[in-house]
Amino acid sequence: MNEIALIEKSYDLAREKYAQLGVETEAALEQLSKIPISLNCWQGDDVGGFETPEAELSGGGIQVTGNYPGKARTADELRMDAEKAFSFIPGNHRFNLHAIYGEFGGQLVDRDEITADHFRAWIGWAKKNNIKLDFNATCFSHPKANDGFTLSSKDPALRQFWIEHVQRCREISATMGRELNSPCIHNLWIPDGMKDIPVDRWAHRQLLKKSLDEIFSSQYSATEMKDAIESKLFGLGSESFVVGSHEFYLGYAIANKKMICFDLGHFHPTESVADKISATLLYVDELLFHVSRGVRWDSDHTVVLNDEVKAVAEELVRGEFLPRVNVALDFFDATLNRVGAWVVGARATLKAFLVALLEPHAKLVEAEEKSDYFARLALLDELKTMPFGAVWDYYCLKNDVPVGEELISAVHRYEMDVLTKRG
Ligand code: RNT
Ligand code: ZN
């Protein structure tokens, strides 16, 4: 049997198996096609950006390791790589930029001077490729962030610099959203914290709140941009204290109607981010997810289809929360083909949503309501061996993207033809 016939036959069998459970695979795929994933631009060049040709990630409590050849050195190369990645991912997705990815024409433009003009090429590219954009202020890799504090610094001049930067980033986001006809999510993550035991947490938290109040005093229409704020448990060099902790931002988000950004790598390893969804959506309108993978001290390994990602997808589908949720990727790994990492992470995230969409939700709720916890547990466990892979392969086939391990040779080909030729 030829490859296509095999995929179709497997899909037909899978469709029947799911139909026996009362699940329509076609409906699940239709829903899956409406979930945009925002690809993190920073996986393409190890969070370097284009402020100078030598720019690289420094400080901020985050780190890239590895030196796999072929990283994008210019915005044109990054766009080219992103287009390649998109061509391997089924569906229509978004692209998530950081402020350091502007195009500054060889000029030194400091963070408190950037404007939408520096992102003209990105906006043009997004229009041409029908990709929507998201945005992030960059409060790291900068001399003014070197002492570990930005928006919560006790130095008023430093604080003012970063306030100006974030305000400009929100303005740029609004321009992107307006021009691309889709609200641009602006996410704010700052590295502020301390390596060792602080004695004045209160002052830094008050300062951060004050800075946020000033930043958010300019209002934008939700059709243009929306604000998210991202907490963290600890970072490299901020092991004892992070100013923007979960409780800090949870409180701020509820009090000020902001979106909470949940990064899957930013919590205690036994804490369930999935469990936080139904709790927080009672109090905030929308959530942003940074789909990531924590490993030991690192919160930013390439996403794979693991229990954490599945649990989040299941909660979002079960609660019918998808219209109130924005999904972005956040990882950076320089030890492997960077385009491949994007694609694996995005496809794994989509697979998690597919697994969730193929769940016989009503049947499970029925068992739960009857207190038949044996039936609930048994069904949940039987679902794990249902042929969702056949449905996924069929979805890839219909979307004209590589199916299964075809992906590997497709990425290798791009590496041979393009990436290895970069100096
Ligand atoms: C860092 C945060 C943040 C960054 C990106 C580059 O711990 O997760 O989201 O990874 O902004
Ligand atoms: Zn993140």
Side-chain angles (χ1 to χ4, degrees), residues 227-287:
D227 290 292
I229 44 187
E230 180 181 9
S231 70
K232 191 170 184 174
L233 181 61
F234 75 93
L236 278 178
S238 56
E239 290 85 358
S240 300
F241 175 48
V242 169
V243 185
S245 61
H246 176 55
E247 290 73 7
F248 176 92
Y249 283 128
L250 177 65
Y252 195 91
I254 294 170
N256 298 282
K257 295 199 167 300
K258 299 295 168 201
M259 226 186 270
I260 297 171
C261 170
F262 283 122
D263 186 310
L264 267 59
H266 286 194
F267 294 85
H268 286 278
T270 57
E271 210 175 341
S272 161
V273 173
D275 179 61
K276 300 176 190 300
I277 297 167
S278 55
T280 49
L281 277 176
L282 284 169
Y283 305 105
V284 296
D285 291 339
E286 284 187 43
L287 297 175

Side-chain angles (χ1 to χ4, degrees), residues 205-350:
R205 294 221 161 103
Q206 282 179 296
L207 286 167
L208 179 52
K209 179 177 183 298
K210 209 168 141 227
S211 296
L212 294 179
D213 288 346
E214 200 173 326
I215 286 166
F216 295 130
S217 66
S218 25
Q219 310 264 329
Y220 295 96
S221 152
T223 59
E224 297 179 343
M225 68 88 62
K226 297 176 184 177
D227 290 292
I229 44 187
E230 180 181 9
S231 70
K232 191 170 184 174
L233 181 61
F234 75 93
L236 278 178
S238 56
E239 290 85 358
S240 300
F241 175 48
V242 169
V243 185
S245 61
H246 176 55
E247 290 73 7
F248 176 92
Y249 283 128
L250 177 65
Y252 195 91
I254 294 170
N256 298 282
K257 295 199 167 300
K258 299 295 168 201
M259 226 186 270
I260 297 171
C261 170
F262 283 122
D263 186 310
L264 267 59
H266 286 194
F267 294 85
H268 286 278
T270 57
E271 210 175 341
S272 161
V273 173
D275 179 61
K276 300 176 190 300
I277 297 167
S278 55
T280 49
L281 277 176
L282 284 169
Y283 305 105
V284 296
D285 291 339
E286 284 187 43
L287 297 175
L288 168 64
F289 283 88
H290 268 190
V291 184
S292 189
R293 176 164 54 108
V295 178
R296 310 284 185 197
W297 55 264
D298 179 50
S299 62
D300 301 287
H301 272 53
T302 307
V303 169
V304 293
L305 182 60
N306 62 14
D307 287 349
E308 285 71 31
V309 181
K310 273 194 272 185
V312 165
E314 283 162 0
E315 275 298 300
L316 295 177
V317 171
R318 289 171 187 165
E320 296 178 11
F321 296 135
L322 286 170
R324 297 170 62 190
V325 156
N326 307 277
V327 184
L329 303 178
D330 184 11
F331 48 81
F332 24 100
D333 186 345
T335 66
L336 73 171
N337 182 303
R338 294 169 184 77
V339 174
W342 261 331
V343 178
V344 167
R347 286 172 63 125
T349 305
L350 290 169

Side-chain angles (χ1 to χ4, degrees), residues 46-256:
D46 314 338
V47 208
F50 308 122
E51 286 180 318
T52 66
E54 309 76 40
E56 55 176 45
L57 173 63
S58 70
I62 52 177
Q63 200 170 56
V64 172
T65 47
N67 54 4
Y68 200 82
K71 86 165 177 187
R73 297 159 302 178
T74 63
D76 284 331
E77 287 182 354
L78 189 60
R79 283 189 278 267
M80 185 183 176
D81 292 354
E83 278 175 44
K84 195 35 97 176
F86 281 124
S87 76
F88 295 156
I89 304 166
N92 289 325
H93 301 287
R94 306 174 65 95
F95 203 57
N96 202 0
L97 289 169
H98 243 283
I100 47 175
Y101 288 79
E103 284 159 273
F104 306 108
Q107 303 294 108
L108 270 179
V109 178
D110 209 348
R111 305 270 170 94
D112 62 344
E113 296 165 348
I114 59 167
T115 69
D117 285 344
H118 302 116
F119 295 88
R120 277 285 141 229
W122 281 112
I123 296 171
W125 173 77
K127 269 189 195 152
K128 193 174 136 231
N129 292 282
N130 192 26
I131 293 164
K132 311 300 180 187
L133 295 176
D134 296 308
F135 202 66
N136 302 258
T138 312
C139 302
F140 51 84
S141 301
H142 191 281
K144 288 198 164 79
N146 276 351
D147 69 356
F149 288 94
T150 62
L151 292 176
S152 76
S153 169
K154 287 190 175 181
D155 175 343
L158 276 191
R159 218 167 52 241
Q160 203 45 54
F161 174 86
W162 291 111
I163 289 172
E164 179 68 31
H165 172 61
V166 182
Q167 283 174 327
R168 283 168 179 261
C169 288
R170 294 180 69 233
E171 174 76 41
I172 294 167
S173 303
T175 305
M176 288 177 168
R178 202 165 44 241
E179 295 198 13
L180 297 170
N181 271 318
S182 169
C184 171
I185 311 295
H186 179 267
N187 180 52
L188 179 63
W189 172 76
I190 61 164
D192 300 31
M194 282 190 189
K195 181 185 178 77
D196 224 326
I197 308 156
V199 294
D200 198 4
R201 298 172 196 260
W202 178 233
H204 288 290
R205 294 221 161 103
Q206 282 179 296
L207 286 167
L208 179 52
K209 179 177 183 298
K210 209 168 141 227
S211 296
L212 294 179
D213 288 346
E214 200 173 326
I215 286 166
F216 295 130
S217 66
S218 25
Q219 310 264 329
Y220 295 96
S221 152
T223 59
E224 297 179 343
M225 68 88 62
K226 297 176 184 177
D227 290 292
I229 44 187
E230 180 181 9
S231 70
K232 191 170 184 174
L233 181 61
F234 75 93
L236 278 178
S238 56
E239 290 85 358
S240 300
F241 175 48
V242 169
V243 185
S245 61
H246 176 55
E247 290 73 7
F248 176 92
Y249 283 128
L250 177 65
Y252 195 91
I254 294 170
N256 298 282

